[in-house]
Structures are given as C-alpha cells and as structure tokens.
Amino acid sequence: MATRGFLGGFELLVLLALIRLDQEAYGVPIAAAIEESSGRDVALGSVYITLERLQRKGLVSSRLGEPTAERGGRAKTYFRITAKGLREVRQARQTLITLWQGVPTLTGGVA
Amino acid sequence: MNRPQPPAFATWLMSTLLLGDNAEALIGDLIEQHRRGRSSTWYSRQAARAIVTTFAAEMWQQRLLAIVAIGLGTYFAQIYMFIVRPSWVAELDRLWYPYLISSRWSWMVINPWAYRLQLYSLTGRAVYCAFLLAVVWILCRLHPRQRGLLATLFCVTQIGLCMPALRTGLTTWLHEPGNPIWFFSLLWFSLFTFVAIPFSIHAGSRLGKPLT
C-alpha cells in the first residue's frame, strides 16, 4: 500500500478556514476563524508556518496584495486552497467520518 | 487621529530575526491587529512566539544546512587559525603600529592607557571579524534563502564560544574590581562578543543578499 502523508490537525483547520474565507484569506482572518471555532488562542506565527508547509506540499497557493499604511507599509499575502488541497480535505473528512462511525458515545469517563 | 504605535523593539526584532518567506506579511498582520486594539503585551508575546516558532521550523526544514552551520561556527576559531596565520596578523600589526612587536611590555608600562585600550589585540580581532564576515557572505551567497538561519546560527555559536572567556574575565574583575586592567579587558572583550561579532555576521548576511 502506498504511503501518503496525513494532514495534521492544525493543517486541516487552516485549510478549512481557507475554504470558508475564499478570496479574503490572509493571516489575520485565518487566525480569527480558527480562534472563533476552536475557542483557543492562535499564534499568527504558527498559522504562517503551517501555510508555508502547505504551500510546499502544493495544497495552498499565495499572492501578494498591496502594501497599506495600516500595516506599516507591509503587503498582505493572500492564500488560496488548490485543487490538490481540496482533495486532501475531502479525503481527511471521509477518514474522520469513517472513524467516528466506529466510535461509541463519548459521554462518561474512560472505560 | 493618532494611531497607536506597536512596540518598536519588538518590530525591530521581528524585522531582524523573523525567518520564512512570509516574514513581512506576518509583521504587517501583527501591526494591523495592534492598530485594531490588541495590546502591546499581546503584540510583543506574538512577536516572541513568531520568532521562536519560525526559527525552529526553518531549522527543521533545513536541518542539514543547520548542522553544517553549527559545525562551522563551532570550529570557526580553529579554521581561522589554520587559514589566517598568526604571523600574517603580526605583519599587519607591524604596518599600523611599529612599536608593538619590538617593545610590547615596555610600551605597556610606559603607556598604561594604550594598554587599557588593548590596542595589541585590535588587529587580530579586526581580522577575525573580517574573516567571519567573508565566510558568512560566501555561505549567504550560496544559500540566499537561508540567510537569516545561517546568520542566527553563526551568531549563537560565536557568542556561545566566547562565553567561557567572558566568564573568566568577569570573575577576574570581580576579584579585583578596582584594577582598571581587568575592567577594560572585560569591557573590550564584551564589545567584541556582543557588538563586533554580531555586526560582522549581520554585515556578511546583508552583503550576501542576492542583487535584484
């Protein structure tokens, strides 16, 4: 059986945030979307490291925006999920659904 | 309306130390968040986390290059001694200070201020820094995308190697704090460690930037 790298938990969250944000996905809204849905504080540095890793895997593409005064003259980098990235997300979803179906109810303590 | 300015030191640290292709975008994001009401503490904490995490990620990504840089940095003094012969440095000394070699001890006694300035070690340290700059420049030309990683690793190893001598200098001075010789010895070596070496490495990495 061919070995293929699985998406990490945070990688999946970042990819899902990219899908939700579509054209407006850059560091700040991506981190905000993950914080909002997970209820945890997210470091922007971690978001960018993950995005760069996903980009190297070919799951994400990027484009440079215009520099603005609000950002101290620095440009935004917009990210977008690629077709390969979408396939990976679908695959991860399918894997999770299949695994969840075999899991009994999680209420109560550990058996 | 006056916009709140993010902590300048944290921004400078990020501009200097942040690694990765999206460093500028990350700094911009943090500035944007700060201007939207995030506190300066939040900004500084995010900056520190970003520097540490991007450095760790880059080191893991470029682990072979990182090992080479650490090895080269650790044995740099030996390489320097092998390539730049002490006799060459002595020749340079003779060029700018003719009395230095011939009457070293008498010169020190006659002119204690000259001794305190440690002029006798200036040429050697200048040549060491120039050699360091040249090696970092070559490495950065060979690996332009990893300039930040190389410069940081060289800086850490070089400063780390100076630590035992600094500790000796500090304890010697503390045993006899009134003696200006120990004080100046510690002062100049500290300047060499924390100013001259990082500056040489930084200059080498800046000069090693590919021309656009």
Side-chain angles (χ1 to χ4, degrees):
Chain A
M1 189 178 150
T3 53
R4 200 178 64 181
F6 285 103
L7 280 179
F10 196 67
E11 286 178 341
L12 186 59
L13 292 180
V14 170
L15 286 175
L16 289 170
L18 288 183
I19 295 167
R20 279 179 65 168
L21 292 161
D22 197 26
Q23 302 281 335
E24 292 302 310
Y26 68 97
V28 175
I30 296 168
I34 299 169
E35 275 180 6
E36 197 183 310
S37 52
S38 68
R40 292 183 188 180
D41 186 35
V42 173
L44 268 168
S46 308
V47 173
Y48 273 98
I49 288 167
T50 310
L51 284 165
E52 282 173 17
R53 192 166 57 240
L54 291 170
Q55 206 165 1
R56 280 196 298 273
K57 288 180 182 175
L59 308 182
V60 161
S61 63
S62 70
R63 70 180 166 87
L64 212 58
E66 289 296 313
T68 58
E70 193 197 12
R71 300 166 53 83
R74 288 168 171 92
K76 289 174 187 172
T77 303
Y78 290 99
F79 294 90
R80 203 165 181 193
I81 190 164
T82 60
K84 190 182 172 190
L86 272 173
R87 275 201 304 276
E88 287 289 331
V89 172
R90 278 196 208 104
Q91 180 65 43
R93 182 173 174 268
Q94 194 53 50
T95 308
L96 286 171
I97 288 169
T98 312
L99 281 169
W100 271 118
Q101 283 168 351
V103 176
T105 177
L106 292 177
T107 53
V110 178
Chain B
M1 194 180 93
N2 277 339
R3 285 172 165 175
Q5 290 297 318
F9 182 65
T11 310
W12 175 80
L13 265 186
M14 283 194 289
S15 305
T16 312
L17 297 174
L18 211 56
L19 304 177
D21 297 336
N22 296 302
E24 284 294 299
L26 173 51
I27 300 170
D29 281 2
L30 289 176
I31 293 172
E32 184 185 321
Q33 288 282 74
H34 185 266
R35 291 203 168 144
R36 284 182 185 175
R38 292 279 200 172
S39 70
S40 292
T41 313
W42 178 90
Y43 183 90
S44 302
R45 208 171 49 232
Q46 286 278 336
R49 283 171 75 176
I51 290 167
V52 172
T53 49
T54 54
F55 181 76
E58 184 78 3
M59 221 170 130
W60 178 249
Q61 178 68 22
Q62 302 291 335
R63 44 195 178 274
L64 191 65
L65 186 65
I67 290 167
V68 170
I70 291 169
L72 206 55
T74 307
Y75 292 100
F76 189 79
Q78 284 86 339
I79 297 165
Y80 165 79
M81 291 297 279
F82 183 73
I83 295 175
V84 184
R85 305 301 165 94
S87 57
W88 299 355
V89 179
E91 285 301 317
L92 284 173
D93 267 336
R94 208 168 279 149
L95 280 177
W96 76 274
Y97 202 89
Y99 307 107
L100 193 68
I101 309 301
S102 56
S103 59
R104 188 169 180 169
W105 296 105
S106 58
W107 168 72
M108 283 174 194
V109 174
I110 293 162
N111 193 345
W113 269 104
Y115 179 71
R116 284 168 195 174
L117 292 172
Q118 297 200 345
L119 292 176
Y120 59 87
S121 66
L122 193 65
T123 312
R125 285 178 184 170
V127 173
Y128 186 89
C129 287
F131 188 62
L132 188 59
L133 188 150
V135 170
V136 173
W137 176 76
I138 291 167
L139 282 174
C140 290
R141 292 294 288 187
L142 291 172
H143 301 276
R145 284 170 67 91
Q146 283 77 43
R147 283 186 311 123
L149 179 74
L150 289 168
T152 310
L153 287 175
F154 254 81
C155 218
V156 169
T157 50
Q158 290 298 298
I159 291 173
L161 287 174
C162 289
M163 280 300 149
L166 264 180
R167 194 185 58 190
T168 309
L170 185 66
T171 47
T172 314
W173 174 61
L174 287 172
H175 276 111
E176 210 181 336
N179 191 333
I181 289 172
W182 305 137
F183 172 75
F184 280 100
S185 181
L186 180 64
L187 176 72
W188 297 127
F189 196 69
S190 303
L191 284 174
F192 172 67
T193 307
F194 297 114
V195 180
I197 284 178
F199 177 79
S200 308
I201 293 169
H202 182 67
S205 74
R206 294 288 293 183
L207 291 171
K209 198 175 177 179
L211 299 170
T212 49

